[in-house]
Amino acid sequence: MVRLSKKKFAALKRVSNEVGIIGALAIDQRGSLQKMLAHNSLSTVGDLELIQFKKLVSETLTPLATAILLDPEYGLPAAKVRDSQTGLILAYEKTGYDSSKKGRLPDLLPEWSVKRLKENGADAVKFLLYYDVDEEPKINQIKQVFIERLGSECLAEEVPFFLELVSYSASNLAPDSLAFAKIKPYKVNEMMKEFSKPVYNVDVLKVEVPINMNFVEGYSDGEIAYTKSEAMHYFKEQNATTNLPFIFLSGGVSAELFQETLHLASEAKSTFNGVLCGRATWQGGIVPFASQGEVAGENWLKATGKKQLGELNESLSETAQSWFLKVEEL
């Protein structure tokens, strides 16, 4: 059982529903979102369009979300229009990584601290770390020390620390390839095991599912990396790597496939505690917003976006478990 201070425990409740399941909405994308908007727009897309789309998503969809994850660079106006019952998680990492340097090294937003994020209303702080357990030990040690510092900062401010872990291949295997799909379970589960250690002071892990659903027998029309029983084994293995609450990221898959993934995880007896779901719920609104304007984007979010988020919430109620079973208040 994980033990949290009264303030951390109360903050974690603010980003969850009444039974301790996290059904959070993520729109902390910055450069990638701007590119998606620009790709579908006939005019130049700048900061204002990015801010406005985030506001539309927040205002329209947060009544159905337990929390919203935003970035402090462009997302604070969206935070102000979220539903009054919806918690706020703010991202602390600088978007992307320096591709000219080896190892996808992490970096912080230089104008922000956990204290300042907290002062701007954050109930919790999230940091994204790219990690390959097979990377050079020197590079992984740099990342481990980095996360130790962040965990200590969140501990001092008594703010829940959400660590988002994203696997990759240091040998440059394509993330959507069959070759990477075969080694993904090992990479995902081993990095979860590492960052579950108490030295990091992580409170919630935001993680990938340990498989690529596009290569699971019965879910794929093409190449197969795992049978259904093998996929379920990897979910069980993932479950055994941590005693921390953990939630799944959608990883850009469709809303339908993500819901199927949650049901497969549940069938495998995974004790995951919710989701922090981004593009699977709002990405369909990009085209109407960018090509036809704000009203068209809002109409899509009110119709399809709300429908998809409502269906996701139904799937969560059927599959996720309460983090109350893992955490107690000090």
mmCIF file of all heavy atoms in Angstrom, residues 307-324:
data_model
loop_
_atom_site.group_PDB
_atom_site.id
_atom_site.type_symbol
_atom_site.label_atom_id
_atom_site.label_comp_id
_atom_site.label_asym_id
_atom_site.label_seq_id
_atom_site.Cartn_x
_atom_site.Cartn_y
_atom_site.Cartn_z
ATOM 1 N N LYS A 307 -19.739 12.238 -27.480
ATOM 2 C CA LYS A 307 -20.182 10.847 -27.618
ATOM 3 C C LYS A 307 -19.015 9.897 -27.337
ATOM 4 O O LYS A 307 -19.156 8.920 -26.591
ATOM 5 C CB LYS A 307 -20.744 10.615 -29.013
ATOM 6 C CG LYS A 307 -21.184 9.178 -29.307
ATOM 7 C CD LYS A 307 -21.788 9.089 -30.707
ATOM 8 C CE LYS A 307 -22.219 7.667 -31.039
ATOM 9 N NZ LYS A 307 -21.041 6.776 -31.215
ATOM 10 N N GLN A 308 -17.856 10.181 -27.935
ATOM 11 C CA GLN A 308 -16.687 9.315 -27.749
ATOM 12 C C GLN A 308 -16.211 9.321 -26.305
ATOM 13 O O GLN A 308 -15.847 8.269 -25.757
ATOM 14 C CB GLN A 308 -15.563 9.751 -28.697
ATOM 15 C CG GLN A 308 -15.851 9.438 -30.159
ATOM 16 C CD GLN A 308 -14.743 9.827 -31.102
ATOM 17 O OE1 GLN A 308 -14.740 9.450 -32.283
ATOM 18 N NE2 GLN A 308 -13.789 10.599 -30.631
ATOM 19 N N LEU A 309 -16.228 10.487 -25.668
ATOM 20 C CA LEU A 309 -15.783 10.563 -24.280
ATOM 21 C C LEU A 309 -16.769 9.857 -23.356
ATOM 22 O O LEU A 309 -16.373 9.194 -22.390
ATOM 23 C CB LEU A 309 -15.602 12.026 -23.868
ATOM 24 C CG LEU A 309 -14.824 12.283 -22.576
ATOM 25 C CD1 LEU A 309 -13.501 11.528 -22.566
ATOM 26 C CD2 LEU A 309 -14.582 13.776 -22.395
ATOM 27 N N GLY A 310 -18.053 9.973 -23.671
ATOM 28 C CA GLY A 310 -19.061 9.259 -22.889
ATOM 29 C C GLY A 310 -18.894 7.752 -22.999
ATOM 30 O O GLY A 310 -19.010 7.026 -21.997
ATOM 31 N N GLU A 311 -18.609 7.275 -24.197
ATOM 32 C CA GLU A 311 -18.377 5.832 -24.402
ATOM 33 C C GLU A 311 -17.119 5.375 -23.679
ATOM 34 O O GLU A 311 -17.081 4.278 -23.114
ATOM 35 C CB GLU A 311 -18.285 5.532 -25.895
ATOM 36 C CG GLU A 311 -19.613 5.689 -26.628
ATOM 37 C CD GLU A 311 -19.473 5.616 -28.138
ATOM 38 O OE1 GLU A 311 -18.306 5.664 -28.626
ATOM 39 O OE2 GLU A 311 -20.495 5.534 -28.831
ATOM 40 N N LEU A 312 -16.088 6.223 -23.675
ATOM 41 C CA LEU A 312 -14.861 5.891 -22.950
ATOM 42 C C LEU A 312 -15.137 5.785 -21.454
ATOM 43 O O LEU A 312 -14.648 4.867 -20.784
ATOM 44 C CB LEU A 312 -13.789 6.953 -23.220
ATOM 45 C CG LEU A 312 -12.478 6.793 -22.450
ATOM 46 C CD1 LEU A 312 -11.798 5.468 -22.784
ATOM 47 C CD2 LEU A 312 -11.532 7.962 -22.740
ATOM 48 N N ASN A 313 -15.944 6.702 -20.937
ATOM 49 C CA ASN A 313 -16.295 6.652 -19.514
ATOM 50 C C ASN A 313 -17.049 5.377 -19.171
ATOM 51 O O ASN A 313 -16.840 4.793 -18.094
ATOM 52 C CB ASN A 313 -17.127 7.880 -19.130
ATOM 53 C CG ASN A 313 -16.297 9.145 -19.028
ATOM 54 O OD1 ASN A 313 -15.078 9.085 -18.850
ATOM 55 N ND2 ASN A 313 -16.942 10.293 -19.152
ATOM 56 N N GLU A 314 -17.909 4.937 -20.076
ATOM 57 C CA GLU A 314 -18.620 3.666 -19.857
ATOM 58 C C GLU A 314 -17.635 2.507 -19.807
ATOM 59 O O GLU A 314 -17.729 1.628 -18.950
ATOM 60 C CB GLU A 314 -19.648 3.441 -20.979
ATOM 61 C CG GLU A 314 -20.880 4.318 -20.891
ATOM 62 C CD GLU A 314 -21.867 4.026 -22.014
ATOM 63 O OE1 GLU A 314 -21.803 2.917 -22.592
ATOM 64 O OE2 GLU A 314 -22.689 4.917 -22.324
ATOM 65 N N SER A 315 -16.665 2.511 -20.731
ATOM 66 C CA SER A 315 -15.645 1.456 -20.738
ATOM 67 C C SER A 315 -14.827 1.483 -19.455
ATOM 68 O O SER A 315 -14.506 0.436 -18.882
ATOM 69 C CB SER A 315 -14.718 1.619 -21.949
ATOM 70 O OG SER A 315 -15.411 1.379 -23.156
ATOM 71 N N LEU A 316 -14.501 2.681 -18.983
ATOM 72 C CA LEU A 316 -13.739 2.807 -17.744
ATOM 73 C C LEU A 316 -14.504 2.240 -16.552
ATOM 74 O O LEU A 316 -13.937 1.551 -15.699
ATOM 75 C CB LEU A 316 -13.408 4.278 -17.459
ATOM 76 C CG LEU A 316 -12.146 4.856 -18.085
ATOM 77 C CD1 LEU A 316 -11.979 6.304 -17.661
ATOM 78 C CD2 LEU A 316 -10.923 4.048 -17.687
ATOM 79 N N SER A 317 -15.790 2.521 -16.492
ATOM 80 C CA SER A 317 -16.599 2.026 -15.372
ATOM 81 C C SER A 317 -16.658 0.500 -15.372
ATOM 82 O O SER A 317 -16.832 -0.122 -14.321
ATOM 83 C CB SER A 317 -18.013 2.615 -15.431
ATOM 84 O OG SER A 317 -18.731 2.115 -16.546
ATOM 85 N N GLU A 318 -16.485 -0.102 -16.542
ATOM 86 C CA GLU A 318 -16.526 -1.556 -16.666
ATOM 87 C C GLU A 318 -15.157 -2.215 -16.471
ATOM 88 O O GLU A 318 -15.081 -3.415 -16.198
ATOM 89 C CB GLU A 318 -17.059 -1.942 -18.052
ATOM 90 C CG GLU A 318 -18.500 -1.517 -18.303
ATOM 91 C CD GLU A 318 -18.899 -1.581 -19.773
ATOM 92 O OE1 GLU A 318 -18.014 -1.859 -20.627
ATOM 93 O OE2 GLU A 318 -20.072 -1.330 -20.079
ATOM 94 N N THR A 319 -14.077 -1.435 -16.597
ATOM 95 C CA THR A 319 -12.746 -2.053 -16.657
ATOM 96 C C THR A 319 -11.757 -1.575 -15.606
ATOM 97 O O THR A 319 -10.940 -2.366 -15.128
ATOM 98 C CB THR A 319 -12.117 -1.810 -18.047
ATOM 99 O OG1 THR A 319 -12.003 -0.389 -18.280
ATOM 100 C CG2 THR A 319 -12.953 -2.441 -19.155
ATOM 101 N N ALA A 320 -11.763 -0.284 -15.264
ATOM 102 C CA ALA A 320 -10.741 0.273 -14.373
ATOM 103 C C ALA A 320 -11.047 -0.021 -12.914
ATOM 104 O O ALA A 320 -12.197 -0.233 -12.533
ATOM 105 C CB ALA A 320 -10.622 1.785 -14.584
ATOM 106 N N GLN A 321 -10.004 -0.006 -12.097
ATOM 107 C CA GLN A 321 -10.156 -0.214 -10.656
ATOM 108 C C GLN A 321 -9.798 1.057 -9.897
ATOM 109 O O GLN A 321 -9.040 1.900 -10.370
ATOM 110 C CB GLN A 321 -9.261 -1.366 -10.184
ATOM 111 C CG GLN A 321 -9.683 -2.715 -10.732
ATOM 112 C CD GLN A 321 -9.035 -3.857 -9.989
ATOM 113 O OE1 GLN A 321 -8.528 -3.707 -8.888
ATOM 114 N NE2 GLN A 321 -9.055 -5.033 -10.597
ATOM 115 N N SER A 322 -10.316 1.198 -8.695
ATOM 116 C CA SER A 322 -10.084 2.375 -7.872
ATOM 117 C C SER A 322 -8.659 2.395 -7.320
ATOM 118 O O SER A 322 -8.153 1.377 -6.833
ATOM 119 C CB SER A 322 -11.072 2.388 -6.705
ATOM 120 O OG SER A 322 -10.736 3.396 -5.770
ATOM 121 N N TRP A 323 -8.026 3.569 -7.362
ATOM 122 C CA TRP A 323 -6.711 3.682 -6.743
ATOM 123 C C TRP A 323 -6.817 3.695 -5.220
ATOM 124 O O TRP A 323 -5.801 3.585 -4.516
ATOM 125 C CB TRP A 323 -5.929 4.881 -7.268
ATOM 126 C CG TRP A 323 -6.565 6.244 -7.101
ATOM 127 C CD1 TRP A 323 -7.212 6.964 -8.058
ATOM 128 C CD2 TRP A 323 -6.577 7.066 -5.922
ATOM 129 N NE1 TRP A 323 -7.645 8.180 -7.563
ATOM 130 C CE2 TRP A 323 -7.261 8.265 -6.252
ATOM 131 C CE3 TRP A 323 -6.095 6.911 -4.629
ATOM 132 C CZ2 TRP A 323 -7.463 9.302 -5.335
ATOM 133 C CZ3 TRP A 323 -6.295 7.952 -3.690
ATOM 134 C CH2 TRP A 323 -6.969 9.115 -4.051
ATOM 135 N N PHE A 324 -8.029 3.814 -4.675
ATOM 136 C CA PHE A 324 -8.218 3.728 -3.224
ATOM 137 C C PHE A 324 -7.719 2.377 -2.690
ATOM 138 O O PHE A 324 -7.376 2.259 -1.514
ATOM 139 C CB PHE A 324 -9.687 3.882 -2.856
ATOM 140 C CG PHE A 324 -10.289 5.243 -3.157
ATOM 141 C CD1 PHE A 324 -11.663 5.388 -3.239
ATOM 142 C CD2 PHE A 324 -9.493 6.355 -3.366
ATOM 143 C CE1 PHE A 324 -12.235 6.626 -3.508
ATOM 144 C CE2 PHE A 324 -10.055 7.600 -3.649
ATOM 145 C CZ PHE A 324 -11.423 7.741 -3.720
#
